[in-house]
Amino acid sequence: MLAEQRDDIDNPLIWPILSVLEESHQSWKVHYLMSELQKKTIMDHLDDDLQLDLFKRNFLIMNALYQLQEMLLPQQWLQVESMDIQLKWRGASSGFVQHEINRDDPLREYYMDWKNYDAQLEDVRDLLSSFWKRYQQHVGHCSETTVERKNALSALGLSVDASDLEIRRQWRKMALKWHPDRPEGDAATFRTMCEAWQSLRL
């Protein structure tokens, strides 16, 4: 188990991620960075459970980013935000020299602790549930507007007797299709898909 060897761990993604960031001056999102690493066949299969596999991939990326942030100072500043990851050179950029690592950041503290890599499926589900609750607040979702099961299934294009596996597969398909970052994505439809999926999970 990784948690048992945490003092000896060398994150294998540190240098591949640095290479990707140095090759492009663009701002990255975590899922785009993950996709780029998968294209380069750097990220291996990590768990037989899809949710745990995704969680572990995300953990390794965030851990590598926070480690790199420390390693690159003071010559460079690595901005680590899930929707805005960017490598910046020391220089004329306003305020660059003032960048400091926030060691009290709970997100940084979580991803720098290797014990969390070995999270159990229930822990990951709790994290995802917490994320969806925050997402609901972000998009203005409230109990009065929760879609009922039948309407939620209809929104996802499923029949009322759809299995849990069918619901999960269809949700992933619809989320990928309508995500605002996709060429033909639509924020309003994506929000509907999210609300439908969340109501089916409650």
Side-chain angles (χ1 to χ4, degrees):
M1 301 286 280
L2 275 171
E4 295 169 357
Q5 310 165 14
R6 53 187 301 216
D7 294 333
D8 305 323
I9 291 172
D10 181 19
N11 190 323
L13 295 184
I14 289 177
W15 306 117
I17 285 178
L18 181 59
S19 296
V20 170
L21 295 175
E22 286 181 335
E23 287 170 8
S24 171
H25 298 295
Q26 72 184 60
S27 172
W28 292 83
K29 295 178 174 62
V30 170
H31 54 286
Y32 287 166
L33 194 53
M34 186 181 298
S35 177
E36 185 67 18
L37 293 170
Q38 287 174 316
K39 278 195 287 185
K40 297 176 182 290
T41 65
I42 292 166
M43 295 202 77
D44 295 326
H45 176 76
L46 298 173
D47 201 286
D48 291 335
D49 183 273
L50 291 176
Q51 285 182 311
L52 284 175
D53 184 67
L54 179 61
F55 170 80
K56 289 179 178 180
R57 289 167 186 262
N58 184 75
F59 185 96
L60 286 179
I61 288 175
M62 293 301 293
N63 174 275
L65 288 169
Y66 283 120
Q67 286 198 54
L68 272 170
Q69 191 179 57
E70 288 196 36
M71 294 164 64
L72 294 172
L73 281 175
Q75 282 74 29
Q76 290 175 285
W77 170 250
L78 177 57
Q79 182 167 289
V80 181
E81 297 175 11
S82 61
M83 303 302 280
D84 188 9
I85 298 162
Q86 192 170 11
L87 187 60
K88 301 178 180 180
W89 284 94
R90 183 186 186 100
S93 298
S94 174
F96 179 92
V97 293
Q98 298 177 359
H99 282 303
E100 291 182 8
I101 293 172
N102 179 7
R103 301 190 185 280
D104 295 324
D105 177 5
L107 200 60
R108 179 184 184 280
E109 185 178 341
Y110 180 86
Y111 284 113
M112 290 293 280
D113 187 345
W114 281 104
K115 288 184 297 187
N116 294 319
Y117 178 88
D118 285 322
Q120 300 301 306
L121 185 56
E122 196 56 40
D123 298 330
V124 173
R125 285 180 176 153
D126 287 344
L127 284 170
L128 289 172
S129 176
S130 174
F131 165 78
W132 281 114
K133 285 175 184 173
R134 292 195 306 274
Y135 177 80
Q136 286 176 352
Q137 294 171 351
H138 177 70
V139 299
H141 185 84
C142 60
S143 58
E144 290 82 0
T145 60
T146 299
V147 202
E148 294 180 359
R149 180 176 176 83
K150 182 177 177 182
N151 292 336
L153 288 167
S154 176
L156 290 171
L158 293 168
S159 62
V160 291
D161 58 351
S163 69
D164 289 344
L165 181 59
E166 289 173 324
I167 292 171
R168 192 161 51 249
R169 285 178 175 167
Q170 183 70 354
W171 148 245
R172 289 174 181 163
K173 179 181 174 183
M174 292 294 100
L176 187 62
K177 177 180 180 181
W178 295 111
H179 194 283
D181 289 338
R182 304 285 294 181
E184 298 178 3
D186 180 83
T189 304
F190 179 69
R191 175 177 169 173
T192 300
M193 297 296 107
C194 290
E195 290 177 343
W197 166 243
Q198 179 60 18
S199 72
L200 291 168
R201 294 179 67 249
L202 294 175

